[in-house]
Amino acid sequence: QVQLVESGGGVVQAGGSLRLSCEASGRTFSGYYMGWFRQAPGKEREFVARISWTTGITYYTDSVKGRFIISRVNAKNTVYLQMNNLKPEDTAIYYCAASQSLTSRLSNYDYWGQGTQVTVSS
């Protein structure tokens, strides 16, 4: 049974930092792409960043470039999202997901975690 379990969310002041973790289990994710998405209240879920398990190549949405860093530790089956210089508009539930396709499209992600809340106060 595939499981993605996020952790690390919380409340932080604007300008602060948080690191989210996503621990994956239940299958080998070699060849998969791991993505982070977020959903703010009243808004659709949106793509944030992705990384290739195999190559480590990353991709970010424009609004987080230069502030967020996605990484992975293969030996721990864990993906991270380091979030720096956080802004109130980053407030959302953050989800980890896995896809066999090089994509930012939600519908192409096969596995999802339960989400972790990030709240940035001004």
Side-chain angles (χ1 to χ4, degrees), residues 8-71:
V11 180
V12 64
Q13 287 190 329
S17 299
L18 281 174
R19 188 178 78 157
L20 306 182
S21 300
C22 171
E23 185 172 355
S25 62
R27 66 161 297 138
T28 178
F29 286 91
S30 176
Y32 272 71
Y33 299 88
M34 303 300 294
W36 283 98
F37 294 79
R38 65 186 180 187
Q39 187 165 17
K43 295 188 176 181
E44 293 187 350
R45 195 171 299 187
E46 64 174 2
F47 169 82
V48 175
R50 70 167 181 258
I51 187 168
S52 165
W53 266 118
T54 305
T55 67
I57 294 174
T58 59
Y59 180 77
Y60 301 89
T61 193
D62 286 346
S63 62
V64 307
K65 283 181 182 176
R67 299 189 299 123
F68 290 11
I69 301 170
I70 187 171
S71 62

Side-chain angles (χ1 to χ4, degrees), residues 79-119:
V79 176
Y80 302 96
L81 186 68
Q82 176 67 43
M83 305 185 296
N84 301 318
N85 190 22
L86 282 160
K87 304 175 181 181
E89 51 264 43
D90 294 318
T91 294
I93 300 174
Y94 283 71
Y95 298 90
C96 174
S99 173
Q100 292 182 282
S101 304
L102 178 62
T103 181
S104 302
R105 189 171 296 179
L106 276 70
S107 59
N108 291 125
Y109 280 78
D110 305 305
Y111 305 107
W112 290 84
Q114 82 289 350
T116 185
Q117 176 71 48
V118 171
T119 303

